[in-house]
């Protein structure tokens, strides 16, 4: 599977655009787009991804990898629903993720981002 930066570059190349032209057309800072194509973003901003999907005439799913899509779709609700569906306490869910109970609480309250490593452990339990 291609990375998000590779997907973005490929779409841009197909339209024959420069990074500057893409940024101008979708109304985002050029530096942000450059960071997205380099893979320097820890999380791809939903507002930018939505605009890029329109420009490239593709669904958002075609631009993002699984983890980025998880972040895009709202991890707070996904984490809480998964834990409730499984009937697990925060502590038990934390053990599945290999983190402390406080991390799960912070995830569910939107105070902390789920790391890719934790997401890898939990993705089979999440509704993505």
């Amino acid at each position: 599977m291609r990375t998000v930066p590779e997907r973005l570059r490929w779409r841009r190349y197909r339209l024959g655009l420069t990074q500057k032209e893409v940024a101008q057309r979708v109304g985002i800072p050029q530096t942000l787009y450059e960071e997205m194509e380099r893979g320097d973003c820890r999380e791809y901003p939903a507002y930018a991804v939505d605009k890029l999907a329109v420009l490239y005439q593709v669904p958002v799913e075609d631009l993002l990898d699984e983890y980025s899509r998880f972040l895009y779709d709202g991890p707070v609700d996904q984490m809480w629903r998964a834990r409730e569906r499984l009937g697990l306490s925060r502590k038990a869910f934390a053990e599945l993720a290999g983190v402390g109970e406080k991390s799960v609480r912070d995830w569910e309250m939107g105070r902390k981002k789920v790391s890719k490593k934790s997401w890898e452990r939990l993705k089979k339990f999440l509704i993505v």
Side-chain angles (χ1 to χ4, degrees), residues 5 34-44:
E34 290 169 355
E35 289 171 359
M36 292 172 76
E37 272 201 12
R38 278 194 314 265
D40 290 346
C41 291
R42 295 183 79 191
E43 184 173 345
Y44 295 89

Side-chain angles (χ1 to χ4, degrees), residues 24 33 49 53 55 57 59 63 74 78-79 83 93 103:
Q24 287 174 337
Y33 188 75
V49 172
L55 173 68
Q57 300 179 351
L63 299 178
Q78 292 179 68
M79 299 300 288
R83 187 173 67 78
F93 197 71
S103 289

Side-chain angles (χ1 to χ4, degrees), residues 2 7-17 56:
R2 288 183 296 190
R7 293 170 190 209
L8 294 174
R9 274 192 302 276
W10 186 80
R11 293 285 176 190
R12 179 171 61 82
Y13 291 157
R14 286 199 53 172
L15 291 180
L17 299 173
Y56 295 143

Side-chain angles (χ1 to χ4, degrees), residues 96-110:
L96 281 177
V99 298
E101 185 177 350
K102 182 181 181 313
S103 289
V104 173
R105 183 175 55 248
D106 288 345
W107 293 340
E108 290 180 350
M109 298 179 111

Side-chain angles (χ1 to χ4, degrees), residues 3 33 48 55 62 66 77 98 117:
T3 66
Y33 188 75
L55 173 68
D62 287 2
E66 281 186 283
D77 290 337
K117 184 177 180 180

Side-chain angles (χ1 to χ4, degrees), residues 66-125:
E66 281 186 283
Y67 176 65
S68 297
R69 179 65 195 267
F70 164 73
L71 296 175
Y72 174 89
D73 285 340
V76 172
D77 290 337
Q78 292 179 68
M79 299 300 288
W80 183 83
R81 282 195 318 262
R83 187 173 67 78
E84 291 296 311
R85 188 181 73 256
L86 296 167
L88 297 175
S89 65
R90 281 189 177 142
K91 183 177 181 178
F93 197 71
E95 289 172 8
L96 281 177
V99 298
E101 185 177 350
K102 182 181 181 313
S103 289
V104 173
R105 183 175 55 248
D106 288 345
W107 293 340
E108 290 180 350
M109 298 179 111
R111 293 189 299 223
K112 186 177 176 184
K113 186 176 106 173
V114 179
S115 71
K116 189 166 187 174
K117 184 177 180 180
S118 295
W119 173 80
E120 287 285 346
R121 290 187 193 118
L122 292 171
K123 72 180 179 177
K124 62 184 166 217
F125 303 109

